[in-house]
Amino acid sequence: MDADRSRKAADAAQRKADKLTAEAEQRSKRASDMYGRFAGGQPLLPGHHSYRSARRAKTRADAASDRALDSYIAAERAQAKAKWAKADAEARTEIADTIATQSRPWGPADFQVGDTVTVRTFETSTSTYRVKRVNKKTLTFDGGGGGWDDPKREYGRVLSRTRDGVTITNPADGDAA
């Protein structure tokens, strides 16, 4: 999914969450209004002529309250989904913007052992590693486990390189150095 589609999906998720929240509030108000008959604290009086209608009214109000609660739960889930979608869209946009600024692809000549490199590990997440070895098609990073867990990443996944405190995101910027 590209950054634009991800942003549109996040906006749609937020609209849905807002709609569900408004619906939940409306259902809660309706349920509260249905309990109005019992606002004075009058208990149900078994054997009284009003008992059957009062019992039905209370049952309806309880059901409306349950529906309002279910609506609040759905709205809460939708808000969480919208928040996740927004974070996903921001991450995709940031990565896409970084890649768009690159005038040429990264290659083995752009790296030295000891460089700190930020790479895209998944579609929306990044990790930072220290270069352990520069290979023809990949970089080998120091995983900290003595070699058995050293990750490798292709040059196409590199987002930035830091050397001597200077970070570059465009490999052409390192040509002058």
Side-chain angles (χ1 to χ4, degrees):
M1 183 184 294
D2 66 346
D4 289 333
R5 284 180 47 200
S6 188
R7 273 193 301 272
K8 288 178 183 177
D11 292 342
Q14 186 61 52
R15 283 192 301 273
K16 180 179 179 180
D18 292 343
K19 178 183 172 190
L20 288 173
T21 300
E23 180 182 310
E25 289 171 359
Q26 183 180 21
R27 285 185 179 204
S28 179
K29 169 110 173 65
R30 183 168 186 267
S32 180
D33 291 346
M34 291 175 82
Y35 281 116
R37 177 176 181 173
F38 309 102
Q42 176 69 34
L44 298 179
L45 303 171
H48 193 268
H49 69 87
S50 65
Y51 179 74
R52 284 178 38 201
S53 68
R55 170 54 66 207
R56 279 194 307 274
K58 185 168 182 335
T59 301
R60 285 188 201 110
D62 288 346
S65 183
D66 289 345
R67 286 190 299 273
L69 183 60
D70 290 344
S71 294
Y72 272 119
I73 290 169
E76 204 172 84
R77 285 184 183 143
Q79 286 289 356
K81 185 176 180 180
K83 183 178 178 181
W84 179 86
K86 183 179 180 192
D88 181 71
E90 288 173 357
R92 286 178 189 272
T93 301
E94 184 178 337
I95 289 171
D97 290 347
T98 301
I99 292 171
T101 62
Q102 295 176 355
S103 58
R104 67 172 176 82
W106 292 96
D110 297 316
F111 300 97
Q112 296 175 0
V113 173
D115 287 347
T116 302
V117 179
T118 301
V119 294
R120 182 172 44 90
T121 51
F122 295 104
E123 293 216 16
T124 59
S125 63
T126 60
S127 293
T128 303
Y129 298 101
R130 190 177 58 80
V131 175
K132 184 175 183 179
R133 188 172 31 257
V134 179
N135 307 310
K136 184 177 179 182
K137 296 180 181 180
T138 62
L139 288 170
T140 302
F141 302 116
D142 186 5
W148 67 271
D149 66 343
D150 293 342
K152 287 185 178 183
R153 297 289 183 266
E154 298 84 15
Y155 289 107
R157 298 177 85 70
V158 174
L159 298 175
S160 69
R161 179 201 75 203
T162 303
R163 181 184 299 156
D164 300 326
V166 178
T167 300
I168 60 170
T169 56
N170 183 3
D173 293 345
D175 291 343

